């Protein structure tokens, strides 16, 4: 259950630096590669000759060459050539709108006529001298909405991440949820507390004392189809909290792009953009490794949660006030999917085109 007329992060540029990449997104098997001039292209991962995966082929002079019998495909999905054969009359396979932006490659798996590159969410931190970014990718065997639930309700940190970012004050501090159009926001502000281990590391990384009380904040924002940006940080207590001057705080945005693969699996592009000490690459590497360990803990919990839900699909689950962010996000997704399913609206079956960045 996922909307298709929208942009999803498909991969990072390094994943297609040397050879084509096959990846299933929203149930669609897609091959990503660089065509003429280095432009990114995305085609159905299906050779029209014998059905072989085109992702097992190679790129030659901007054309995707099937690794089975050498059929050459153009970026528009049309057959170009094949050794000793006449193939230009073959029907085109599907191509997908694709854009390279903000250090990611984005794909539109729905109706290509509706694709608008202007709808890719702007990332303030990208290629900005005041920011540093580090991240990674996980493949997770659970429905993508479970990850949205996880990120919109950070009360689990006290238990799942007890040794890194969890603390009892998260449970003790009420969380506020608001909805503004298609944006759902949950926020929690904790004052005059001890910083947990991860944030003590961050304070030291910005040359700030880590043994004094801090004010901590968590502001989670969901936007469709499955993007969650989380403003996080701590400031020395009494200096203004979230609004404290940069000299007294460490401020970051946890970047979460969640791309459905199937009904029970997804691709999770995670990272942290920080607005302090951006030139320290060693700090970037340390924070990335800390995040990787934290998200690995989420991965185990979510995959085992999915196994339980698949084993007992008819069981009702409790909904509490801490679940409001995930519940409201799901309502938006249900509406968008319903809108795409209305009679007369395109389901994205036509051949698409590349969208220039």
């Amino acid at each position: 259950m996922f909307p298709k007329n929208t942009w999803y992060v498909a991969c990072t540029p390094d994943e297609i630096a040397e050879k084509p990449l096959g990846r299933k997104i929203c149930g669609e098997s897609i091959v990503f590669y660089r065509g003429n001039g280095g432009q990114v292209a995305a085609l159905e991962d299906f050779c029209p000759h014998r059905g072989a995966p085109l992702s097992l082929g190679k790129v030659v002079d901007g054309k995707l060459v099937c690794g089975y019998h050498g059929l050459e495909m153009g970026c528009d999905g049309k057959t170009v050539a094949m050794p000793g054969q006449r193939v230009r009359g073959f029907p085109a396979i599907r191509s997908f709108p694709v854009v390279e932006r903000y250090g990611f490659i984005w794909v539109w798996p729905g109706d290509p006529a509706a694709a608008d590159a202007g709808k890719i969410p702007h990332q303030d931190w990208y290629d900005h001298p005041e920011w540093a970014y580090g991240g990674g990718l996980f493949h997770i065997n659970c429905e993508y909405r479970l990850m949205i639930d996880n990120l919109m309700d950070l009360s689990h940190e006290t238990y799942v991440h007890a040794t890194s970012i969890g603390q009892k004050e998260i449970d003790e501090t009420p969380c506020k949820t608001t909805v503004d159009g298609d944006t759902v926001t949950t926020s929690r502000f904790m004052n005059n507390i001890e910083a947990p281990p991860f944030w003590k590391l961050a304070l030291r990384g910005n040359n700030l004392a880590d043994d004094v009380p801090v004010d901590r904040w968590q502001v989670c924002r969901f936007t469709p189809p499955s993007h969650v940006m989380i403003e996080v940080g701590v400031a020395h207590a009494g200096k203004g909290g979230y609004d404290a001057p940069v000299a007294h705080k460490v401020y970051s945005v946890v970047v979460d792009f969640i791309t459905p693969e199937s009904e029970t699996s997804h691709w999770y592009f995670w990272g942290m953009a920080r607005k302090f000490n951006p030139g320290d690459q060693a700090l970037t590497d340390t924070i990335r490794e800390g995040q990787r360990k934290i998200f690995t803990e989420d991965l185990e919990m979510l995959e085992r949660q999915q196994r339980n839900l698949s084993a007992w699909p008819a069981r009702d689950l409790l909904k509490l006030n801490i679940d409001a962010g995930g519940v409201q996000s799901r309502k938006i997704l249900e509406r968008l999917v319903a809108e795409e399913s209305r009679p007369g609206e395109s389901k994205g079956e036509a051949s698409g085109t590349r969208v220039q960045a």
Side-chain angles (χ1 to χ4, degrees):
M1 201 290 290
F2 30 72
K4 286 192 170 184
N5 286 332
T6 186
W7 294 104
Y8 290 97
V9 171
C11 60
T12 52
D14 61 288
E15 293 186 271
I16 59 170
E18 298 180 358
K19 58 183 180 179
L21 171 72
R23 181 154 288 167
K24 182 172 285 188
I25 294 175
C26 294
E28 305 282 356
S29 293
I30 305 174
V31 55
F32 298 89
Y33 67 101
R34 292 196 183 276
N36 288 322
Q39 287 288 329
V40 180
L43 300 179
E44 183 181 6
D45 196 7
F46 186 96
C47 179
H49 172 223
R50 302 299 297 168
L54 290 168
S55 56
L56 295 181
K58 60 184 178 180
V59 179
V60 179
D61 297 330
K63 295 180 286 292
L64 181 58
V65 181
C66 179
Y68 197 10
H69 296 97
L71 182 69
E72 298 178 7
M73 302 297 303
C75 294
D76 57 1
K78 295 180 180 179
T79 56
V80 176
M82 185 174 175
Q85 305 294 322
R86 300 175 63 182
V87 297
R88 286 187 176 270
F90 275 28
I93 61 173
R94 185 178 177 189
S95 62
F96 295 83
V98 61
V99 170
E100 183 171 358
R101 187 173 294 178
Y102 306 128
F104 298 98
I105 292 167
W106 305 73
V107 68
W108 182 283
D111 180 1
D116 178 1
K119 294 181 179 179
I120 295 175
H122 179 70
Q123 305 300 314
D124 291 334
W125 51 265
Y126 178 72
D127 200 24
H128 193 292
E130 295 180 2
W131 291 81
Y133 177 81
L137 169 63
F138 284 154
H139 177 263
I140 304 182
N141 287 308
C142 80
E143 184 197 355
Y144 79 109
R145 291 183 299 175
L146 294 181
M147 178 59 86
I148 296 174
D149 294 344
N150 172 277
L151 295 168
M152 293 300 289
D153 168 26
L154 298 183
S155 63
H156 74 275
E157 289 184 355
T158 303
Y159 308 96
V160 180
H161 312 302
T163 62
S164 55
I165 55 176
Q167 57 188 142
K168 62 182 178 60
E169 287 85 358
I170 297 176
D171 277 347
E172 297 169 352
T173 306
C175 180
K176 179 181 179 182
T177 300
T178 60
V179 181
D180 182 9
D182 284 346
T183 299
V184 181
T185 303
T186 62
S187 56
R188 179 182 281 110
F189 298 89
M190 296 158 279
N191 297 323
N192 200 35
I193 63 175
E194 180 181 359
F198 179 88
W199 287 111
K200 287 186 176 182
L201 180 152
L203 286 165
R204 294 193 300 272
N206 198 30
N207 299 311
L208 292 171
D210 69 348
D211 58 352
V212 298
V214 298
D215 298 332
R216 182 182 180 187
W217 58 90
Q218 300 170 325
V219 182
C220 313
R221 290 187 177 86
F222 163 86
T223 55
S226 48
H227 311 325
V228 180
M229 303 291 112
I230 309 177
E231 293 183 82
V232 291
V234 298
H236 284 173
K239 301 295 184 179
Y242 177 89
D243 297 313
V246 294
H248 300 292
K249 69 180 179 183
V250 285
Y251 170 82
S252 300
V253 176
V254 179
V255 177
D256 305 286
F257 294 124
I258 308 156
T259 300
E261 178 189 45
S262 69
E263 295 291 349
T264 56
S265 62
H266 69 270
W267 304 98
Y268 178 37
F269 297 85
W270 55 266
M272 177 173 279
R274 75 174 188 279
K275 201 174 184 180
F276 62 92
N277 201 0
D280 190 337
Q281 183 60 46
L283 179 61
T284 299
D285 295 340
T286 299
I287 290 176
R288 182 196 290 115
E289 178 59 18
Q291 261 201 308
R292 186 193 66 78
K293 291 179 179 178
I294 290 169
F295 290 142
T296 297
E297 295 167 341
D298 284 311
L299 186 154
E300 180 182 11
M301 180 63 72
L302 290 168
E303 290 192 337
R304 298 189 68 170
Q305 179 188 12
Q306 180 65 61
R307 289 180 214 165
N308 272 351
L309 294 175
S310 296
W312 293 286
R315 293 188 69 162
D316 292 330
L317 301 179
L318 297 175
K319 290 184 175 64
L320 305 174
N321 58 353
I322 59 173
D323 303 316
V327 169
Q328 294 300 324
S329 300
R330 286 180 179 236
K331 286 182 179 179
I332 291 170
L333 289 169
E334 289 168 2
R335 173 176 55 79
L336 294 176
V337 170
E339 289 173 356
E340 288 186 9
S341 301
R342 288 172 184 165
E345 294 192 11
S346 172
K347 304 291 178 59
E349 297 299 326
S351 177
T353 56
R354 286 182 295 141
V355 176
Q356 300 299 322

